[in-house]
Amino acid sequence: MRFIKNFTKFRFLLIELVKKEIKLKYRRSYLGYVWTLLEPLLTTLVLAYVFGTLLGNNDPHFPVYILTGRLLYSFFSTSTKAAMRSIRRHSGMIKKVYVPKYIYPLSAILSNFVIFIFSLLVLVGACIVQGIKPTIYTLQAIFPLIILLVMALGVGLILSSLAVFFRDLEYLWEVFLMIVMYCCAIFYKADRLIDGDKGWILNLNPLYAVIKNFRFAILDGAPLGFNSMCYASGFSILVLVVGLFVFYKSQDKFILNI
């Protein structure tokens, strides 16, 4: 109850921080917010050419396959990195005025989520161009997106807490994200690993479970996978609980280390 009252009291500050983060992201670029659409589109074209055309992939929907995975991974990557730096970025404000500290990683995650939702327009356009028609199962796409948001928030809270005390974490997280990217079957077909003896790499990856179900809804027009959705949901809720606990226990020590 106290948490809800506190959240309501500072919701206007949260909204302003989200707006500020979005404005800062593209403030010095000539094309501004257009990069939200251009960047994933150009990257997908390059990946589709290299891993599709050059490597002889004949799937006509391969660009959409890449785009779905890349958009979701990109949101997870950029939002968790932004959350990790959020406490130190706002150290001046934290030292001067009292604001619930969770506002900063939360605003970092939400601002990236708004940009991510906007970038999904590229996916809509790609589906239209490739003749992928929406089905009743397309509406299910909202569930993987909610799970992804919860997962990013939980991981972001943990990283933002630990990064205050361990500055090297920022570099280690970059390496870990690269491993996660290769274990998400973004630019190669998941069947290549599943048909061999390396399928467990994908099955253990909760982010891949989210991407796989998002593809079910958008690309395949099929029902979500029950087991993979339960696994991704359980992991996301667990990591959020751990994130809240770690953040709550360490937030009073931030002032001595920022």
Side-chain angles (χ1 to χ4, degrees):
M1 198 65 186
R2 180 184 171 190
F3 174 81
I4 295 174
K5 285 183 179 178
N6 210 27
F7 183 81
T8 305
K9 181 180 177 181
F10 289 97
R11 69 182 186 280
F12 294 111
L13 175 61
L14 176 63
I15 294 171
E16 290 304 315
L17 284 174
V18 170
K19 290 180 181 176
K20 177 187 169 188
E21 296 283 347
I22 295 173
K23 289 177 182 175
L24 285 177
K25 188 174 178 69
Y26 300 105
R27 65 173 175 173
R28 291 185 180 175
S29 64
Y30 288 106
L31 296 179
Y33 298 113
V34 178
W35 276 114
T36 305
L37 304 176
L38 274 182
E39 194 271 339
L41 180 61
L42 294 176
T43 307
T44 299
L45 289 175
V46 172
L47 291 174
Y49 179 74
V50 173
F51 294 97
T53 306
L54 292 184
L55 296 183
N57 191 319
N58 297 320
D59 183 357
H61 297 156
F62 193 57
V64 175
Y65 178 90
I66 291 178
L67 189 57
T68 49
R70 195 208 164 277
L71 285 172
L72 269 62
Y73 168 79
S74 182
F75 163 68
F76 180 78
S77 172
T78 54
S79 63
T80 52
K81 285 191 286 189
M84 180 167 53
R85 300 172 184 137
S86 61
I87 297 297
R88 280 189 282 145
R89 274 189 61 210
H90 296 91
S91 59
M93 187 179 291
I94 290 174
K95 291 176 181 176
K96 291 177 183 175
V97 294
Y98 170 76
V99 173
K101 297 178 184 64
Y102 67 82
I103 289 285
Y104 302 113
L106 180 60
S107 63
I109 297 288
L110 292 180
S111 60
N112 277 282
F113 192 69
V114 172
I115 294 170
F116 164 65
I117 293 298
F118 186 60
S119 70
L120 290 179
L121 289 174
V122 177
L123 180 60
V124 174
C127 289
I128 294 173
V129 169
Q130 294 228 296
I132 300 173
K133 297 180 181 177
T135 68
I136 188 65
Y137 297 114
T138 305
L139 299 174
Q140 297 179 138
I142 192 172
F143 296 112
L145 297 184
I146 292 173
I147 293 172
L148 181 64
L149 177 61
V150 174
M151 187 188 301
L153 182 56
V155 174
L157 285 172
I158 295 173
L159 291 174
S160 63
S161 305
L162 298 180
V164 173
F165 308 102
F166 308 104
R167 305 297 171 96
D168 294 341
L169 183 64
E170 196 169 317
Y171 307 104
L172 292 173
W173 186 243
E174 288 279 359
V175 176
F176 184 76
L177 281 174
M178 186 171 63
I179 297 172
V180 171
M181 181 184 70
Y182 284 111
C183 295
C184 281
I186 295 173
F187 43 79
Y188 62 87
K189 285 290 188 178
D191 298 343
R192 293 188 177 186
L193 289 182
I194 294 173
D195 293 341
D197 57 353
K198 302 289 191 300
W200 59 271
I201 295 175
L202 298 179
N203 293 331
L204 286 178
N205 185 355
L207 184 57
Y208 170 70
V210 174
I211 292 173
K212 181 173 72 171
N213 281 285
F214 188 70
R215 283 171 175 158
F216 281 160
I218 299 295
L219 187 58
D220 301 330
L224 302 180
F226 179 77
N227 291 335
S228 55
M229 279 296 287
C230 287
Y231 176 61
S233 303
F235 178 86
S236 299
I237 293 171
L238 176 63
V239 81
L240 178 60
V241 172
V242 173
L244 289 170
F245 178 78
V246 171
F247 196 91
Y248 177 77
K249 285 293 184 183
S250 58
Q251 63 177 348
D252 292 339
K253 301 173 186 174
F254 289 169
I255 194 71
L256 301 174
N257 293 275
I258 54 179

